[in-house]
Amino acid sequence: MDNSDEYRVGWLKWLLLVSSIGCLALLSLAAFQENFTASWRAHQVEYSKRLDQLARATETKTQRKSSANYPIKVRQVFLDEWKRVDRCVTCHVGIENPDFAEVPQPLTAHSGDILKHHPADKFGCTICHQGQGRATEKQAAHGHVPFWDKPLLVGDFVQATCAKCHHDEQVPQAPALSHGRQLIGQLGCAGCHKMGDIANRVKAGPQLDSIGSKVSRKWLDKWLTNPKDYLPQGKMPYYGLNPGAVDALASYLMTFRNGAIDHRPKPEGDYDTGANIYRESQCIVCHVTKLDYNDNPVGGQIGPNLLEIGNKVNSRWLVTFLKNPHSFYPNTKMPAFHFSDQEALDLSQYVMEEWIDYDLLDAEEQEPEPAQGTAEQIGQGKRLFAELGCGGCHDLGHKTVKPTGPDLTFIGSTPVHQLTFGDAKVPHTTPDFLYTKLKSPKSLHHKFKLPTEGDFAAAIWNNLSPAAQFSGSQALPDGSEQDRMAWVFVQAQRAGLLDASLKIADGVARSQAAWLVEELNKTAALNPLKMPNFQLLDEDAKALTIALMSLSDVSAPSKHFEAPRRPKMVFNPKDKFGKLERHYRCLSCHQIRDSGELLASDLTYEGSRVDREWLEHYLDKPYSMRRMLTIAMPIFHFPKEESRLMADYISYVFVDSEMGKGWRLGRAQADPERGKTLFESKGCLACHQLHGTGGDVGPSLTTQVPEFPHGTWVGDKLKGEWIYQWLKDPQALLPDTIEPNLSLSDQESLDLTAYLLSLKNPEYQQLDPAHEEPEAGEVPEEHGEPES
Amino acid sequence: MRDETIRDDLKASPRFQLEHQRRDFLGMAAMWSAASAIFVALLGAMRLPIPSVFPESNSRVKLGSVDLFQGVAVTPFVEQRLWVFSDDQGLYAISAICTHLGCLVARQEDGEFDCPCHGSRFDSQGKVTKGPAPKPLLRLALSVSPDGQLVVDRQQTVGPEVRLKV
Amino acid sequence: MGTESSKMARQVESDRQDASPGALRLLWCNLLVTPRSFRDSLIRHGRPTSERAASQAVFTNFFLHILPTRIHRDSLRIRTTLGLGVISLVLFFLLSLTGVALMIYYKPSTDLAYDSMKEIQYVVPTGRFMRNIHRWAAHGMVLCVILHMARAFYTAAYKSPRQFNWVVGMILFVLTLALSFTGYLLPWDQLAYWAVTIGSEIAQSPREITDALGITAWFDIGAYQKQLLLGANHVGQEALIRFYVLHVIVLPFVMCVFLAIHFWRIRKDGGLTRPAGAEACSESEKFRNGPPALAPAKTYGLMAVVRGRTPAVDRSMANTMATYPNALYAIGALCMVTFFVMLCLGHSFNAPLTEHANPLVPENPAKAPWYFLGLQELVSYSAFMGGVGIPGIVVVGLMLVPYLDREQEEVGVWFGGSRGRRVSLASALFAIVVVVGILTFTINYGWLRDWYPNIPQIVITFVNPGTVMLVVFSLWSFFITQKTNSTRMGALAIFTCFLLAFAILTYFATVHRGPNWGFYWSKSDWPVH
């Protein structure tokens, strides 16, 4: 054994010893870490201690026992149907324990009553909050680690995941999501972006087929340059078009003229008569007509702003339009009023004179008349119109337009590294990307690397900036001067003005920086990105972000899938009533069978609600439902046969035979006297007025309308069935009404209904003997809508 | 040495040869049969790894109504990994799968295609302009189904001049 | 037999005779000596007390009999082998053990694989450790096998009679890479998906040739290879299960067979290479410590009387030493050091796991594991040449080396002496200049397609930076052979070139390639999305 004089085995023994001891040490360390130092252990120990304290405080034996046995272990929610495992409860152990509401994270109880409807054992945590359910370490579980695309959603952003199951546009418990979804519809996002099954029912902007006859070229130029200057609340976003592009687009649009209008004589009408017609027609319901002290618009948001309309439109066009709006815009929400030629003339006179900025007019007259667009400009404009996706919001001709923007169907689940952040200093997460993109679309771009400092390109810029040649071109992206310069050069390169090394093409003097700008402006190439700036408020941008985040490819198991309640069928009958509806555009304010808008009442069961006679009179002469409201249904001056037809149609078709069945069966037992006592004892007068006494929250029960040919008290107007139903469960008829549900028994409801029905204006008693029990109930909506 | 001589003598005798030939014949036949049986078995087994039909999604996919593809336009189909182009002469489809090593190319703003994996670049018509890709991006066969839908066959390629006229 | 225990047994026996009623006592006594008697039965000869017994211990032990009973002292010197072969083997064992542990949890399904990785990482006790060790040991094994190959080459260990074992070694090298590659897909993350997509397309790249010949329609060997690998046209469930089967059964089995052959041949070919003079210089010391009584008592049995010369028996017993315990300590120490390093790595660095595989989103850049990055650089010139042609030529070329270079001088000496050292150094410099030059040129000026956009693909397939390097290296080797009139020098030259090219390309692709496989000085220059 010892002939190894040259070869010593001793150091091998040492090596073996040391490495083995090293292994042992490391293994012990690993074992210790794995079994003792995990942070979730500390949280569970803390939880257990607090449980003990609580138990001692309450001195309940059972509780003490359970807390003493609280095992320290990895906990999880296994979600079979979602094919997920959430171990969040390993640290967030107190999530379902109401005693832990005040305890700091991670032990705190879940806020609100959401867990009641979404039990943790069915929905886990990551379904709503995202993050990495399988992980057992904080950073990894919250998803703040590389390679995990779905980090924890915080604050309102959690609402984005509600959309996995809740497909309705409005999800009451998720206000931000609902608001965002509403905005998507309002802004017409679907015009440019494919977004799954979200589609614009109507294009967001007006049809442009006769735009050339409608507006002045000067106005159009200004509008295209920055629509927010003219109409800060308008939907039209800011595209940042440079003068060249504006010229091209305007030239192109001005070619769409309507010969019939152009050749009319310039009309003259009577201002005062016009003012009257304006008031009767309740234009303010749909149009903004003035600004209040805080510069907030006053008036409806359905139609366009009327401010400065005198500077905008051609009065010949306006007259034609007022006579028959549908010939211009088949899809407009504007009803066709029965204006005579003279009335239209008067009204247009009033409108054109009332909302005109004479200073502006004078200023405009100083400016030279813009030149007629050249064929080249028109061609360029046409290209721009297509490229910018104008067709997404505006009909021009009858072409089907394909979305020009990226497909957003699954934008919420797009991996972050696929999103282009450019050099923007925002955290690289999907919500931040969307928010920034919405707030300032042009900030998310790459900085263009200039060849070297102080070279030719920089020289041009230095030459440029003091002269501010760029002030006319608003297309520059947000950012520093350096950014803007870089960007200008890229554009110039794209437009072929500069070669690859950013040198001006041969034959152009180098010093001509202005030339470059001029050329750029001419080429209409200065369009950084298609995405315009909607100049959204912070909360709107946030809501939109949330709504966009909700567009994800993660789908819920069919069991939890709530199909959208969106109408499958649009209410559009082919009968006479349908024709009238299309003429008067009832659906611009009312909803019928899920079609239309809810600016006024839902008419789906109006026939079951109101008395027919009252309705007919009301259609002839609408009045405001509440003292506090100044707006009401416009006076359409329906021809007699039309109002009769509508009243008949509504009372026979828009009915629900099930409604108020209890009243029909039990009206014999109803006692108005008992009802009166009940009325007094329940404190109805706190909100409703009776003969001039009582609160102003709900509508008055004894409304007096001078010169109305029919009683307007509650018993004159409403039907017993409806009142009964309403008293039983107001929210069933109108989900967000503030009318309290008094939990009346059947008999009480009957009595109260009988009492309310007895409230008829005695002056008109003789007028309606025939009909059932047109009687008053608590008038529904807190916004007191007119009914048609 | 001596043994070998004897053996050689023996081998030389015709009778020995005859006997041995017979015995050899049997032996040879047996050996060869065994070898060929094993060979045939292996040959058969070689067929196993490639099924008659691959468990894959349909190669023919409907892309939507033909009417949607009008004017000069580019429509990406992310899931099908292709673009449908339409111009004055008709429709054509370009596959997004790089002909080099199967990565997905990305369409740039200028209409060219970049491959992220090995830097191949293709012009707007799919022709290789740079990098290792051996051939242009594949043009996929388009057709119109009887119900007016545009159909692409992802297994069938066509030449660059082929357009679907609508 | 352990004398102690027999004495005890005798005592017990006499006790039994003395007092026959003690059956219980008898059992008790036996139980008391059980630990010792069990050890005696386990190690057949007990702890060896003489050199002879030490030889016996090795020779008759099931696990040790793969080792010679005595071993040349040079073979145990660290500078002879650097222990790389043993380390590779230890890593292979480690990989097998951790691999089996991982198999318990791993589910080879596209739906479940990724989740099972997460389970292993987060809730399987020691799971993360196992996976980390598995991953780092795999990298380590590839590295050690490459270094082991270089060691064998530079000490001329491939020469007669070890030519065939060199070939077996090359096969093991390829198998190691194959094992590593097949394991790559299993986590089913983005890294895996796109690396394997590229890998399988490389299998299809012979199409470049068949397309050029216009015979793809009849003879599509490329598609066949790819489909054989994937069981489909795209990476999916079929591919996953195939890679799994290859990774856990087929390749390890083949690996074991070839490992067995490798070790068997080491023994049969006369142990590790050592300089021819090793015996000569210690000849004087022959029998210094006594006569051949030290030789094993037992000799090989004669299985048959055969013609020809008998295998050479080591003639210089004096330079050998007992395997037990010297070699065992060496092996044991290597084992534990390797294990310790792997434990450190496994404890400190988590094996990467990127996002769940997404066939619609390619990684950018999609980089293969480091040992394939050199090839990936070549592949970015031509898929066929870089992925199949050049590696094929290199592997086959290296296999042929022992048959082309049959000189027997300087065997067992690093670089074969000072001339070899000079040649190797010159070749290394030459390779650096050539590779860096070609890379610089390609990056600055592009290649054929940038100059002649319409050039046929077949030209690029055969004339690209990779093939140019290959040709230049071959010419260089030829030149050296000519100059030195020594095939060994030529072999040294080309091997050094290959090794350096591999190293530089790997470094280059690791550090200087970024998105779209563009050139960047460092990762910080990468364009941000």
Side-chain angles (χ1 to χ4, degrees):
Chain A
M1 214 176 269
D2 279 325
N3 66 343
S4 53
D5 48 340
E6 288 177 38
Y7 183 83
R8 295 199 177 276
V9 81
W11 75 276
L12 283 176
K13 290 182 182 170
W14 276 110
L15 192 61
L16 185 60
L17 180 72
V18 170
S19 56
S20 303
I21 290 176
C23 287
L24 274 175
L26 208 64
L27 287 169
S28 319
L29 176 69
F32 177 75
Q33 285 179 339
E34 182 149 332
N35 292 303
F36 296 104
T37 62
S39 59
W40 58 264
R41 282 181 196 277
H43 297 316
Q44 292 199 3
V45 169
E46 167 77 14
Y47 182 72
S48 165
K49 267 187 208 150
R50 282 176 185 270
L51 276 186
D52 258 351
Q53 283 168 7
L54 277 171
R56 225 167 294 135
T58 51
E59 280 303 331
T60 334
K61 237 182 187 173
T62 46
Q63 242 174 332
R64 169 169 286 185
K65 203 175 161 198
S66 71
S67 65
N69 291 338
Y70 192 78
I72 309 292
K73 61 176 187 185
V74 172
R75 285 151 210 278
Q76 66 182 24
V77 183
F78 193 86
L79 305 170
D80 233 349
E81 30 183 84
W82 294 84
K83 299 199 170 68
R84 272 200 206 199
V85 182
D86 282 352
R87 307 207 165 97
C88 316
V89 285
T90 301
C91 289
H92 299 278
V93 265
I95 204 87
E96 286 180 305
N97 192 339
D99 295 337
F100 281 69
E102 303 298 318
V103 179
Q105 287 284 23
L107 302 180
T108 186
H110 198 286
S111 60
D113 62 346
I114 292 169
L115 285 187
K116 245 183 240 164
H117 308 289
H118 303 79
D121 57 338
K122 286 263 164 50
F123 292 91
C125 313
T126 59
I127 302 295
C128 299
H129 293 272
Q130 290 192 171
Q132 185 173 191
R134 286 180 189 270
T136 50
E137 293 151 15
K138 184 178 170 187
Q139 289 297 98
H142 289 187
H144 302 311
V145 284
F147 312 125
W148 193 258
D149 279 339
K150 296 194 166 61
L152 197 67
L153 293 172
V154 288
D156 287 343
F157 287 100
V158 181
Q159 295 176 16
T161 45
C162 300
K164 281 178 188 165
C165 302
H166 302 282
H167 295 260
D168 256 344
E169 187 184 283
Q170 296 302 310
V171 184
Q173 279 73 27
L177 173 68
S178 308
H179 181 46
R181 282 176 163 175
Q182 208 179 347
L183 279 174
I184 288 180
Q186 278 173 11
L187 298 175
C189 305
C192 291
H193 299 281
K194 213 171 134 188
M195 308 173 96
D197 41 7
I198 299 178
N200 287 345
R201 273 165 286 176
V202 185
K203 289 197 175 178
Q207 203 172 340
L208 300 179
D209 282 325
S210 55
I211 183 82
S213 306
K214 176 183 175 184
V215 300
S216 72
R217 169 71 196 264
K218 280 176 183 162
W219 178 86
L220 189 57
D221 277 359
K222 241 181 282 163
W223 173 255
L224 289 173
T225 308
N226 187 1
K228 303 286 176 191
D229 273 353
Y230 173 76
L231 198 59
Q233 300 79 26
K235 282 189 211 168
M236 173 89 171
Y238 169 64
Y239 274 86
L241 300 172
N242 67 312
V246 169
D247 257 0
L249 254 181
S251 308
Y252 172 64
L253 291 176
M254 289 310 279
T255 60
F256 292 87
R257 309 188 76 90
N258 184 329
I261 295 168
D262 293 342
H263 297 114
R264 256 165 212 251
K266 191 151 175 122
E268 283 293 333
D270 178 39
Y271 177 89
D272 294 328
T273 327
N276 241 343
I277 300 171
Y278 166 80
R279 270 188 297 280
E280 269 191 359
S281 304
Q282 297 279 352
C283 301
I284 196 169
V285 172
C286 296
H287 296 279
V288 169
T289 55
K290 61 180 176 192
L291 300 178
D292 66 11
Y293 302 117
N294 301 324
D295 275 355
N296 289 324
V298 177
Q301 303 277 352
I302 301 173
N305 194 333
L306 295 185
L307 301 168
E308 292 178 27
I309 191 168
N311 305 64
K312 171 185 174 184
V313 305
N314 176 346
S315 53
R316 297 185 186 97
W317 176 87
L318 187 58
V319 175
T320 325
F321 174 80
L322 288 171
K323 275 289 289 176
N324 188 0
H326 302 163
S327 69
F328 290 99
Y329 305 133
N331 292 325
T332 183
K333 291 185 170 177
M334 171 99 170
F337 290 85
H338 281 280
F339 295 136
S340 66
D341 284 353
Q342 190 54 46
E343 281 172 328
L345 218 55
D346 294 341
L347 184 56
S348 76
Q349 184 70 27
Y350 172 75
V351 169
M352 292 294 287
E353 266 182 52
E354 181 69 18
W355 292 288
I356 192 160
D357 185 338
Y358 286 106
D359 300 342
L360 202 64
L361 198 66
D362 292 342
E364 269 179 7
E365 268 162 16
Q366 300 299 314
E367 289 169 23
E369 188 63 29
Q372 198 80 330
T374 62
E376 194 195 349
Q377 270 181 322
I378 291 172
Q380 230 167 36
K382 187 175 179 185
R383 189 173 53 83
L384 267 179
F385 189 87
E387 261 178 23
L388 295 175
C390 306
C393 290
H394 300 280
D395 274 325
L396 185 62
H398 288 281
K399 276 178 279 174
T400 43
V401 216
K402 272 199 311 176
T404 48
D407 188 339
L408 300 182
T409 307
F410 297 128
I411 185 71
S413 52
T414 306
V416 175
H417 61 83
Q418 274 195 292
L419 305 172
T420 305
F421 284 88
D423 305 307
K425 297 269 178 294
V426 291
H428 282 210
T429 69
T430 313
D432 284 303
F433 170 82
L434 291 172
Y435 184 81
T436 318
K437 187 89 184 168
L438 287 164
K439 281 294 281 183
S440 59
K442 282 153 202 169
S443 64
L444 294 174
H445 70 104
H446 280 292
K447 217 178 273 170
F448 181 71
K449 239 193 194 158
L450 287 170
T452 39
E453 274 301 317
D455 69 349
F456 167 68
I460 293 186
W461 183 255
N462 294 333
N463 215 355
L464 278 180
S465 36
Q469 277 100 334
F470 274 91
S471 57
S473 89
Q474 315 234 348
L476 295 179
D478 312 336
S480 70
E481 281 218 332
Q482 183 78 9
D483 287 348
R484 291 163 155 241
M485 162 164 66
W487 183 81
V488 165
F489 282 106
V490 177
Q491 296 302 323
Q493 205 176 0
R494 264 199 207 145
L497 301 175
L498 295 171
D499 66 8
S501 53
L502 289 175
K503 295 273 155 41
I504 288 185
D506 289 340
V508 178
R510 279 187 153 209
S511 60
Q512 288 181 342
W515 172 84
L516 186 63
V517 182
E518 207 176 291
E519 288 298 304
L520 276 175
N521 279 343
K522 259 196 259 169
T523 58
L526 278 179
N527 290 301
L529 287 165
K530 287 179 202 163
M531 175 82 180
N533 192 338
F534 284 86
Q535 301 183 336
L536 297 163
L537 301 174
D538 287 355
E539 62 263 34
D540 285 352
K542 190 174 167 193
L544 260 177
T545 304
I546 291 168
L548 289 173
M549 289 283 294
S550 76
L551 300 172
S552 141
D553 60 358
V554 183
S555 55
S558 53
K559 194 171 149 188
H560 297 294
F561 192 91
E562 266 188 17
R565 272 182 283 162
R566 192 167 293 159
K568 288 282 174 293
M569 301 260 288
V570 175
F571 178 78
N572 190 12
K574 297 279 174 268
D575 51 19
K576 272 186 190 160
F577 180 79
K579 229 165 148 187
L580 286 175
E581 187 281 311
R582 282 189 289 282
H583 193 75
Y584 297 113
R585 307 273 147 139
C586 311
L587 294 181
S588 294
C589 294
H590 294 281
Q591 212 172 48
I592 302 175
R593 297 187 191 154
D594 289 338
S595 294
E597 303 292 327
L598 259 179
L599 287 157
S601 60
D602 185 335
L603 300 184
T604 311
Y605 301 119
E606 186 71 359
S608 296
R609 189 167 91 97
V610 299
D611 177 57
R612 191 209 158 278
E613 297 307 316
W614 174 87
L615 180 60
E616 192 182 329
H617 294 301
Y618 180 81
L619 287 172
D620 286 341
K621 191 173 184 311
Y623 59 89
S624 176
M625 286 292 145
R626 297 188 197 192
R627 277 194 316 171
M628 308 298 286
L629 289 170
T630 50
I631 56 165
M633 180 152 151
I635 301 173
F636 280 95
H637 298 293
F638 295 123
K640 198 66 202 155
E641 64 276 11
E642 283 184 6
S643 52
R644 194 174 304 134
L645 182 114
M646 281 191 267
D648 283 341
Y649 192 94
I650 289 169
S651 10
Y652 290 113
V653 178
F654 294 164
V655 290
D656 177 6
S657 57
E658 292 298 299
M659 190 184 280
K661 234 177 175 176
W663 169 251
R664 235 168 301 152
L665 300 174
R667 70 209 286 185
Q669 284 92 52
D671 177 8
E673 283 311 308
R674 274 203 305 262
K676 187 166 188 222
T677 332
L678 210 55
F679 181 85
E680 281 151 11
S681 67
K682 291 283 180 191
C684 306
L685 277 178
C687 297
H688 296 283
Q689 284 200 347
L690 193 62
H691 307 301
T693 51
D696 230 358
V697 181
S700 164
L701 301 178
T702 51
T703 321
Q704 290 285 11
V705 181
E707 295 165 37
F708 196 74
H710 188 270
T712 50
W713 290 14
V714 63
D716 293 319
K717 179 184 163 193
L718 296 175
K719 291 190 173 178
E721 285 88 343
W722 189 87
I723 297 175
Y724 177 81
Q725 188 84 22
W726 177 257
L727 290 172
K728 289 289 287 181
D729 185 2
Q731 278 73 20
L733 289 172
L734 206 64
D736 44 0
T737 181
I738 52 167
E739 170 86 18
N741 185 342
L742 300 171
S743 313
L744 300 173
S745 71
D746 287 357
Q747 185 58 46
E748 284 173 327
S749 304
L750 285 172
D751 295 340
L752 199 49
T753 306
Y755 169 66
L756 289 171
L757 273 180
S758 71
L759 291 173
K760 290 182 205 255
N761 193 339
E763 292 170 34
Y764 300 99
Q765 276 303 348
Q766 71 285 1
L767 282 175
D768 41 29
H771 268 279
E772 304 171 31
E773 279 68 52
E775 278 282 333
E778 336 227 307
V779 177
E781 315 77 347
E782 71 276 33
H783 19 56
E785 257 48 0
E787 15 257 310
S788 58
Chain B
M1 264 301 176
R2 207 168 157 258
D3 283 355
E4 282 166 20
T5 352
I6 293 170
R7 228 176 269 150
D8 288 345
D9 289 350
L10 250 173
K11 278 181 196 158
S13 80
R15 200 188 138 167
F16 179 90
Q17 283 181 351
L18 194 70
E19 270 178 15
H20 278 257
Q21 207 172 0
R22 214 185 301 144
R23 213 166 67 198
D24 259 348
F25 175 74
L26 190 58
M28 297 278 272
M31 292 300 283
W32 276 109
S33 314
S36 30
I38 291 170
F39 179 72
V40 170
L42 284 179
L43 213 62
M46 290 278 285
R47 296 267 293 122
L48 177 127
I50 298 186
S52 317
V53 171
F54 289 124
E56 286 182 334
S57 51
N58 298 338
S59 73
R60 286 168 62 83
V61 188
K62 287 186 179 179
L63 299 176
S65 167
V66 183
D67 305 335
L68 286 173
F69 305 90
Q70 274 165 9
V72 180
V74 191
T75 319
F77 288 90
V78 177
E79 252 170 83
Q80 286 80 20
R81 310 173 177 209
L82 54 91
W83 286 273
V84 174
F85 292 79
S86 61
D87 59 19
D88 324 334
Q89 290 138 50
L91 302 177
Y92 58 98
I94 292 184
S95 161
I97 298 173
C98 180
T99 50
H100 179 228
L101 291 176
C103 294
L104 297 185
V105 297
R107 189 164 179 273
Q108 306 299 318
E109 277 178 34
D110 52 9
E112 302 204 342
F113 303 91
D114 270 353
C115 177
C117 291
H118 302 99
S120 292
R121 212 175 150 83
F122 306 84
D123 69 10
S124 55
Q125 290 300 298
K127 199 171 150 285
V128 189
T129 55
K130 202 173 161 288
K135 47 187 174 187
L137 289 175
L138 299 181
R139 297 290 182 98
L140 305 175
L142 288 174
S143 56
V144 179
S145 67
D147 56 350
Q149 298 259 319
L150 187 68
V151 176
V152 64
D153 188 338
R154 287 177 289 177
Q155 299 286 19
Q156 195 189 339
T157 56
V158 294
E161 68 294 335
V162 179
R163 296 278 197 283
L164 178 76
K165 301 217 167 43
V166 186
Chain C
M1 281 291 138
T3 46
E4 291 274 318
S5 63
S6 54
K7 212 184 280 171
M8 182 88 80
R10 227 173 292 131
Q11 180 71 38
V12 168
E13 178 71 7
S14 65
D15 283 358
R16 191 178 62 83
Q17 281 163 357
D18 287 351
S20 39
L24 197 65
R25 207 185 133 190
L26 177 68
L27 285 174
W28 175 244
C29 286
N30 281 351
L31 194 65
L32 281 183
V33 297
T34 295
R36 187 180 289 240
S37 47
F38 179 76
R39 199 196 68 196
D40 288 349
S41 67
L42 187 70
I43 306 169
R44 284 174 58 212
H45 300 279
R47 189 184 159 85
T49 47
S50 68
E51 287 237 336
R52 200 187 121 167
S55 298
Q56 281 279 23
V58 174
F59 187 70
T60 57
N61 185 292
F62 176 78
F63 296 102
L64 298 183
H65 84 277
I66 193 163
L67 295 169
T69 56
R70 297 185 66 79
I71 196 161
H72 196 280
R73 66 184 57 184
D74 277 354
S75 299
L76 283 184
R77 286 213 170 83
I78 196 77
R79 68 171 157 82
T80 313
T81 61
L82 308 174
L84 289 163
V86 173
I87 294 176
S88 304
L89 182 69
V90 172
L91 289 174
F92 181 69
F93 281 141
L94 261 183
L95 282 164
S96 310
L97 293 175
T98 51
V100 168
L102 293 173
M103 267 172 80
I104 294 173
Y105 287 99
Y106 179 74
K107 308 176 193 78
S109 139
T110 52
D111 286 343
L112 306 172
Y114 187 76
D115 283 348
S116 61
M117 301 316 284
K118 290 281 180 192
E119 295 297 288
I120 288 170
Q121 193 175 358
Y122 288 117
V123 288
V124 174
T126 74
R128 181 191 311 227
F129 219 158
M130 291 283 182
R131 186 168 109 78
N132 292 351
I133 291 178
H134 196 74
R135 175 64 71 106
W136 304 134
H139 286 311
M141 187 173 164
V142 173
L143 183 69
C144 287
V145 166
I146 291 174
L147 293 177
H148 179 55
M149 181 172 77
R151 194 281 300 170
F153 192 93
Y154 284 121
T155 56
Y158 58 83
K159 295 194 182 247
S160 171
R162 299 182 180 82
Q163 306 101 314
F164 182 68
N165 217 12
W166 170 260
V167 174
V168 173
M170 289 305 298
I171 293 172
L172 286 171
F173 169 60
V174 173
L175 281 172
T176 307
L177 292 181
L179 265 168
S180 201
F181 180 65
T182 49
Y184 220 67
L185 182 63
L186 304 187
W188 202 248
D189 59 354
Q190 278 284 74
L191 205 62
Y193 183 90
W194 288 101
V196 171
T197 298
I198 293 173
S200 65
E201 291 287 326
I202 288 177
Q204 190 179 260
S205 64
R207 270 197 181 172
E208 260 182 57
I209 304 295
T210 51
D211 274 348
L213 297 175
I215 55 168
T216 309
W218 304 283
F219 179 73
D220 195 356
I221 178 79
Y224 179 79
Q225 291 189 132
K226 178 181 161 188
Q227 290 165 353
L228 195 66
L229 207 55
L230 299 187
N233 284 315
H234 298 291
V235 179
Q237 177 62 58
E238 305 294 314
L240 182 57
I241 203 83
R242 274 171 201 226
F243 274 61
Y244 180 67
V245 169
L246 283 174
H247 187 72
V248 304
I249 288 287
V250 179
L251 293 175
F253 178 76
V254 177
M255 187 89 167
C256 286
V257 170
F258 278 97
L259 273 180
I261 298 175
H262 201 58
F263 299 144
W264 188 75
R265 284 299 296 241
I266 295 175
R267 283 289 307 281
K268 291 296 157 185
D269 291 342
L272 303 183
T273 350
R274 56 188 163 274
E279 280 101 65
C281 42
S282 43
E283 196 69 20
S284 59
E285 297 173 27
K286 219 172 189 180
F287 307 135
R288 198 188 62 177
N289 289 319
L294 299 170
K298 223 174 180 181
T299 55
Y300 295 96
L302 290 177
M303 302 307 164
V305 176
V306 290
R307 262 185 286 170
R309 290 185 297 160
T310 50
V313 193
D314 200 332
R315 271 159 293 180
S316 56
M317 286 295 292
N319 286 319
T320 64
M321 42 209 245
T323 301
Y324 186 103
N326 302 305
L328 295 187
Y329 272 120
I331 293 171
L334 279 176
C335 258
M336 289 318 287
V337 168
T338 313
F339 187 41
F340 180 63
V341 171
M342 285 302 135
L343 283 180
C344 285
L345 289 175
H347 188 258
S348 325
F349 303 103
N350 279 340
L353 183 65
T354 60
E355 298 96 340
H356 193 280
N358 184 350
L360 300 180
V361 183
E363 290 265 274
N364 191 4
K367 287 197 178 181
W370 64 268
Y371 39 85
F372 283 135
L373 274 180
L375 283 188
Q376 202 177 347
E377 180 63 29
L378 296 183
V379 154
S380 76
Y381 307 134
S382 155
F384 174 73
M385 267 304 159
V388 180
I390 294 174
I393 291 170
V394 169
V395 167
V396 171
L398 288 179
M399 280 184 181
L400 281 177
V401 162
Y403 303 99
L404 297 179
D405 166 31
R406 300 169 59 173
E407 289 166 20
Q408 285 292 338
E409 295 92 34
E410 314 291 355
V411 170
V413 180
W414 276 88
F415 303 105
S418 63
R419 184 175 63 154
R421 251 194 295 277
R422 278 200 308 277
V423 167
S424 304
L425 195 65
S427 303
L429 289 174
F430 179 75
I432 292 172
V433 170
V434 168
V435 176
V436 172
I438 290 181
L439 285 176
T440 316
F441 177 84
T442 315
I443 282 157
N444 286 318
Y445 302 105
W447 200 252
L448 290 171
R449 183 163 279 132
D450 299 302
W451 315 323
Y452 313 105
N454 292 317
I455 197 163
Q457 175 61 28
I458 193 78
V459 179
I460 295 177
T461 302
F462 284 105
V463 185
N464 64 52
T467 52
V468 168
M469 280 183 221
L470 191 67
V471 168
V472 170
F473 292 156
S474 307
L475 289 177
W476 167 257
S477 161
F478 192 74
F479 166 74
I480 293 288
T481 315
Q482 184 80 21
K483 188 119 194 265
T484 58
N485 199 19
S486 158
T487 49
R488 169 65 178 155
M489 292 303 126
L492 274 178
I494 199 157
F495 186 83
T496 309
C497 287
F498 283 166
L499 203 63
L500 259 294
F502 172 79
I504 296 171
L505 288 175
T506 305
Y507 160 80
F508 183 79
T510 309
V511 177
H512 294 311
R513 287 298 189 181
N516 289 5
W517 209 246
F519 172 81
Y520 297 91
W521 278 111
S522 79
K523 203 168 174 176
S524 54
D525 296 342
W526 288 15
V528 199
H529 246 295

